[in-house]
Amino acid sequence: MVSCADRYGAMGSKGFRLEGLRRLHQQRLQYERLLLQQLHGYQQRTQEELEQLQQHLQALCKQRPEGGTIAAQELQQVWFRRQVLELQMQHHHEQQQQLREMEAAQRSRVQQALQEERILELLKQRYVQLQQTEERRHEQRMLDELAQRRRER
């Protein structure tokens, strides 16, 4: 008969066989969390840049020429700057959307890693319980054998 300790490895000598896998999952979880933090930081920076561009565009729109007249060249420069700013803002809006999608996917990966971590922890607890039960059975068998030998004498 194969004992639980033989089947799963003795805790004292070999340890929990899934411990290496559990450590890998912990490292993965840390990595996924780090990526999530980086994405969030990048999203904040692009949001700040977008707000600066919007303020710059508003200031450009409020700009009035001195003396009440404006040259065609100045008008054209203002119009071109406005076009550039609007394109930059559109690009930043698209970046924000992509970052939100990436952040949602990253959150999903973090949740998956957390769930896997919980499963491995439950497996480890179950393993320890099985090993303790097997050790108690073994001790009881030894005590029963010892008691049987004493009665036979």
Side-chain angles (χ1 to χ4, degrees):
M1 178 176 173
V2 178
S3 71
C4 180
D6 292 336
R7 207 173 321 134
Y8 297 107
M11 189 68 163
S13 62
K14 295 181 185 175
F16 181 58
R17 287 190 179 179
L18 295 177
E19 189 65 31
L21 182 61
R22 193 172 75 78
R23 273 189 246 118
L24 284 175
H25 276 282
Q26 286 175 339
Q27 290 172 355
R28 177 180 164 223
L29 179 61
Q30 289 173 348
Y31 173 74
E32 298 292 353
R33 283 181 173 160
L34 177 65
L35 283 179
L36 185 61
Q37 289 173 348
Q38 289 174 345
L39 279 172
H40 186 70
Y42 185 67
Q43 185 178 15
Q44 284 179 332
R45 284 189 300 278
T46 57
Q47 180 65 34
E48 290 169 1
E49 289 172 9
L50 180 61
E51 289 170 2
Q52 288 174 354
L53 287 172
Q54 287 171 338
Q55 290 172 357
H56 187 68
L57 180 60
Q58 287 173 354
L60 189 61
C61 290
K62 290 179 182 178
Q63 209 173 33
R64 299 279 183 237
E66 294 178 16
T69 60
I70 187 166
Q73 188 177 13
E74 288 179 51
L75 185 60
Q76 190 177 23
Q77 287 176 352
V78 168
W79 186 80
F80 280 135
R81 278 192 273 162
R82 182 175 177 181
Q83 291 296 94
V84 167
L85 288 174
E86 286 176 351
L87 286 173
Q88 287 176 337
M89 287 172 54
Q90 181 181 357
H91 175 72
H92 275 72
H93 280 295
E94 291 169 0
Q95 270 188 321
Q96 284 288 317
Q97 181 60 34
Q98 288 175 345
L99 286 171
R100 281 191 287 274
E101 291 170 5
M102 289 171 62
E103 189 174 6
Q106 190 63 29
R107 285 185 193 282
S108 176
R109 286 191 288 274
V110 167
Q111 288 299 326
Q112 179 67 29
L114 282 170
Q115 184 177 6
E116 290 171 0
E117 179 74 20
R118 281 185 231 119
I119 289 170
L120 286 171
E121 189 59 36
L122 289 172
L123 284 172
K124 182 177 181 179
Q125 290 172 2
R126 179 69 176 141
Y127 168 80
V128 169
Q129 290 172 349
L130 286 172
Q131 186 177 19
Q132 290 172 346
T133 302
E134 186 64 30
E135 287 175 3
R136 283 193 297 272
R137 286 181 187 157
H138 181 72
E139 288 175 7
Q140 188 60 45
R141 274 190 239 121
M142 297 296 281
L143 290 172
D144 289 346
E145 286 178 19
L146 186 59
Q148 183 67 29
R149 287 183 191 158
R150 284 190 180 171
R151 278 187 242 149
E152 290 175 356
R153 287 187 194 174

